[in-house]
Amino acid sequence: AAQTAKQVILQRLREAEREIVMNEFEDKIGTVINALVGRVEGNIVRMDLGKAQGIMPRSEQIQGERYYPGQRLKVFLKDVERGPRGPQLVVSRGSVQFIEWLFRSEVPEMDNGAVEIKGIAREAGVRTKLAVNSTVPGVDPVGTFVGGHGTRVNAVMSEIGEQEKIDIIVWNEDPAQYITNALSPTKVARVIIDSTEKKAKVLVPEDQLSIAIGKGGQNVRLASKLTGYELDIVAEQAPAAVPVETTPRPKEAPVKPIAPKLKKKSELENSLLEAIEEHGE
């Protein structure tokens, strides 16, 4: 009886601890917390979060980032799941929410609403595109997020790894202009929008085609995610050259110069005498 009572008490204590952990971490869902890498098991990284354990699946990791026991990292708490062995905390470093939270901690202007993030498209460990907007006239949204000498964006990159590039572009309510900005640094000639099908045909100069598509289609893929439009990149056709006239023109008859008509000797003498008489008078 004493042994049974002991087992029941221990079971109740464990359940109470789980409830405490659930209540503590449920309030932290959607925030960034500090964690310690416990161990790496294949594609899953187990994290020590203090009173609880967390897991970071392969899909939530940053591509190319290496993890080792004892490593201290910042992670985004995505969800808390109830499991037979207690609460299961799912954490992430590869989500767009992680990027947004890092910028929020570096850009105080987001708290007062002067600038805002309108959209994020990310391939963790490779590239991120960030669309930002300013609600206050005269405030440069891109400059605000980049910071003086790039201090703010560099602070975010140092946390996620220097191998991941971050493009910060200006959001625009005009879809054509927004798509043009999203394809930066590509020079776009023209954008043809199909609002019904949410598709857009983007015409770019032929020398800009590879830049617009990006390595492995990365640039156009992220721009499509960011804008919500299916993008079709097409090289702009060069204007047709003016045809060169090859048919020989008919030769025109040469014009002979008209020689001045010479006066007779008697006429010259009379003219000379008349001039002398007029001069004498």
Side-chain angles (χ1 to χ4, degrees):
Q3 189 67 23
T4 303
K6 181 180 178 181
Q7 292 294 333
V8 171
I9 292 171
L10 289 174
Q11 182 66 24
R12 295 288 174 83
L13 284 173
R14 291 193 196 98
E15 291 176 359
E17 288 176 357
R18 291 172 184 173
E19 287 300 321
I20 292 171
V21 170
M22 287 290 292
N23 294 333
E24 179 181 347
F25 283 96
E26 274 182 339
D27 295 336
K28 295 180 180 180
I29 293 176
T31 64
V32 171
I33 56 178
N34 294 315
L36 193 70
V37 177
R39 60 184 185 274
V40 180
E41 300 175 354
N43 291 330
I44 295 177
V45 179
R46 298 200 174 272
M47 314 291 291
D48 184 3
L49 307 176
K51 294 180 180 180
Q53 298 290 322
I55 61 166
M56 184 163 60
R58 181 68 178 173
S59 59
E60 301 296 341
Q61 299 172 20
I62 294 177
Q63 180 181 337
E65 192 172 53
R66 296 183 178 275
Y67 306 102
Y68 54 87
Q71 184 182 12
R72 294 186 178 276
L73 296 170
K74 288 181 179 179
V75 294
F76 180 81
L77 182 58
K78 290 195 72 172
D79 196 12
V80 178
E81 301 174 353
R82 293 179 181 271
R85 296 185 179 181
Q88 190 80 356
L89 279 64
V90 181
V91 299
S92 172
R93 282 177 59 82
S95 62
V96 296
Q97 295 93 335
F98 184 57
I99 289 286
E100 182 178 359
W101 192 269
L102 290 177
F103 270 107
R104 188 174 293 278
S105 63
E106 294 292 334
V107 184
E109 289 85 353
M110 290 183 67
D111 294 332
N112 57 30
V115 293
E116 57 184 348
I117 296 176
K118 300 292 286 187
I120 302 176
R122 186 185 187 198
E123 290 186 3
V126 183
R127 196 170 189 174
T128 292
K129 282 185 180 286
L130 197 75
V132 298
N133 183 46
S134 170
T135 58
V136 178
V139 175
D140 177 19
V142 175
T144 303
F145 277 83
V146 172
H149 302 289
T151 52
R152 292 176 175 179
V153 70
N154 287 337
V156 174
M157 290 178 67
S158 65
E159 178 62 39
I160 62 175
E162 298 292 335
Q163 76 280 359
E164 184 171 338
K165 305 302 179 186
I166 299 178
D167 296 339
I168 302 176
I169 62 108
V170 179
W171 175 84
N172 197 297
E173 61 182 4
D174 178 24
Q177 186 59 49
Y178 188 24
I179 290 169
T180 300
N181 296 346
L183 285 169
S184 175
T186 310
K187 295 178 181 178
V188 176
R190 191 156 54 98
V191 179
I192 303 170
I193 298 290
D194 183 355
S195 302
T196 306
E197 298 290 333
K198 295 291 284 185
K199 293 181 179 180
K201 186 177 181 180
V202 184
L203 301 175
V204 300
E206 195 168 349
D207 60 344
Q208 295 285 308
L209 189 61
S210 60
I211 301 173
I213 295 172
K215 186 178 180 181
Q218 178 196 101
N219 193 49
V220 66
R221 189 166 55 248
L222 287 174
S224 181
K225 287 181 184 178
L226 190 65
T227 59
Y229 279 80
E230 184 182 333
L231 305 180
D232 182 18
I233 309 296
V234 181
E236 187 181 31
Q237 296 294 326
V242 179
V244 180
E245 188 176 351
T246 56
T247 307
R249 297 177 66 181
K251 293 183 179 181
E252 296 179 358
V255 180
K256 294 182 179 180
I258 300 173
K261 188 176 181 182
L262 298 176
K263 293 183 178 182
K264 294 180 179 180
K265 182 178 180 182
S266 57
E267 292 178 354
L268 288 173
E269 290 176 350
N270 292 335
S271 299
L272 182 60
L273 289 172
E274 290 174 1
I276 294 171
E277 289 175 359
E278 291 178 0
H279 184 70
E281 291 176 1

